[in-house]
Amino acid sequence: PHPLACLRQLDRIAELAPANAKPLARLLAERRGELRWGQTYSEADFGKGFIDNYGWLEVFGTRGHFVNDEVAAGLLILGPDVVYPDHHHVAEEIYIPLTGGTEWRMGEGGFRTREAGEVIHHASDVSHAMRTGKEPLLALYIWRGGPLAAKSTITGTTVQGKD
Ligand SMILES: [Fe+2]
């Protein structure tokens, strides 16, 4: 097990999750202390405010509870008022937010609020960013077609700008 500071968000996430995601959110909340949570970034990348409000659980993949060299998937947590700045990676990626209200941006587009259950696809090397509002985010992620444990190339900043 490897707990992280962001796991405190799971109580609120379990309240927010819609009915079809609530069993999973509750399971994560109840069993949070038994799972191996991880972070790709450190405080040097995005600061302590980000690191204390960010983490993932890789269910399968090269770092996963179940080993898979071709596809990685798991769950991402972001606390409220967090900016995950513009970044990109070789692997293509699908996100499905399981809580709504987070703003997502892709390429040169603006931020758009996405609801729980939407499917968000990022093609290989396409820049993307997220920012949460007053509520935390839980999102399912799937990666394939690139190094599955690669650190993203960061081009944005955690400082909130106008967009
Ligand atoms: Fe990504």
Side-chain angles (χ1 to χ4, degrees):
H2 183 245
L4 293 173
C6 69
L7 301 186
R8 70 191 188 284
Q9 305 294 343
L10 281 168
D11 300 297
R12 181 62 181 149
I13 285 168
E15 289 175 4
L16 292 170
N20 59 3
K22 210 175 271 289
L24 175 60
R26 282 191 180 143
L27 180 78
L28 291 173
E30 286 165 13
R31 310 292 285 271
R32 74 188 89 180
E34 300 166 40
L35 298 164
R36 189 175 188 285
W37 299 87
Q39 294 178 317
T40 313
Y41 305 106
S42 68
E43 223 173 292
D45 294 307
F46 295 144
K48 183 170 166 53
F50 184 93
I51 292 304
D52 286 349
N53 285 285
Y54 149 82
W56 43 253
L57 176 73
E58 192 141 296
V59 177
F60 60 87
T62 56
R63 304 171 291 195
H65 290 64
F66 300 94
V67 174
N68 191 310
D69 294 331
E70 294 180 6
V71 186
L75 295 144
L76 171 75
I77 293 173
L78 290 179
D81 295 316
V82 166
V83 179
Y84 190 155
D86 284 306
H87 61 284
H88 59 272
H89 40 77
V90 174
E92 71 171 325
E93 173 180 63
I94 290 172
Y95 271 114
I96 302 176
L98 301 180
T99 58
T102 294
E103 295 178 298
W104 300 70
R105 158 184 153 94
M106 179 163 57
E108 296 304 307
F111 279 94
R112 264 180 67 195
T113 303
R114 301 287 204 149
E115 296 314 317
E118 288 195 51
V119 176
I120 302 163
H121 177 244
H122 299 138
S124 175
D125 277 332
V126 169
S127 179
H128 48 282
M130 297 91 100
R131 63 185 187 203
T132 53
K134 294 297 167 207
E135 301 285 8
L137 169 73
L138 176 69
L140 180 73
Y141 71 84
I142 307 173
W143 270 39
R144 72 166 186 188
L148 296 180
K151 191 170 172 176
S152 298
T153 304
I154 303 155
T155 57
T157 161
T158 53
V159 177
Q160 293 253 22
K162 290 185 293 180
D163 62 286

